[in-house]
Amino acid sequence: MIDSSPETARGEDRLVGSDRVLVVLRVLAEHPEGIGLEEMAKAVGSPKPTAHRALAALRRAGFASQDGRGRYVLGDDFLRLAFAHHEARPDHVRIRPALERLAARFGETAHYAVLDGREVVYRAKVDPPSGAVRLTSTVGGRNPAHNTGVGKLLLAWALPDDAAVTAWVDQAPLERRTPRTKVSAGELAEELAAVRERGYAVDDQENEEGVTCLAVPAFLTSSTRPSGAVSVSALAYRTPLPSLVEAVPEIHAILREP
């Protein structure tokens, strides 16, 4: 994953050529309202002429444009490609009916996510019926795997034993998002062992306070290894975690529906 933070971007010797263009593209994606040239230069840690050259390259490719105020935004060609690619993914198309049924049944948000390194990426999301409070997660958004239900479910498959978990944790420190986040190898190994035994994972306000989640595997491309994980993410006051745990058989049944 490209880090577009100013700390990483600062220094011409650390951010050159195509790397700079990609970081500028990421910054554009983080500013749907548009961003000025001076702001962009500060965001990527480059002089204004350098940032302008990167923006010009993106404009030539149709991946950036300028609005009526002269601010830079993602170009229509980039959005067209991104949406076309997303809509063509078979997992996204196949799983959406199940997510719609889950969102309607529980009145909460349903997600489908895949593991990408140490993070999960949300490939599909269905919000509850209108009028309900909704979560801020987005398709294409990311979260650390260790503190999410979908992430722990997929890590339980990717890291088959305690030794593998310890080696994975030793690669980089685990972020503590809330006081409940498990950040030690021992805690995570114990949690993943429980996931393997019971077949589902939970996030008990470990990624965001006030939000709980229950995740189960989705076998879309293989009968033996999950292609991703499906979750019901809920506001804790409205749908307590124990009620989701009680509904695990029903969640599995909904996923099996044609």
Side-chain angles (χ1 to χ4, degrees), residues 126-145:
V126 174
D127 283 315
S130 61
V133 177
R134 303 183 181 189
L135 303 185
T136 58
S137 54
T138 59
V139 173
R142 293 173 175 263
N143 266 318

Side-chain angles (χ1 to χ4, degrees), residues 25-50:
L25 182 64
R26 180 177 289 275
V27 173
L28 284 177
E30 294 170 352
H31 292 79
E33 75 288 356
I35 183 171
L37 177 59
E38 186 171 348
E39 296 172 83
M40 176 63 76
K42 290 180 180 178
V44 301
S46 295
K48 284 198 292 185
T50 303

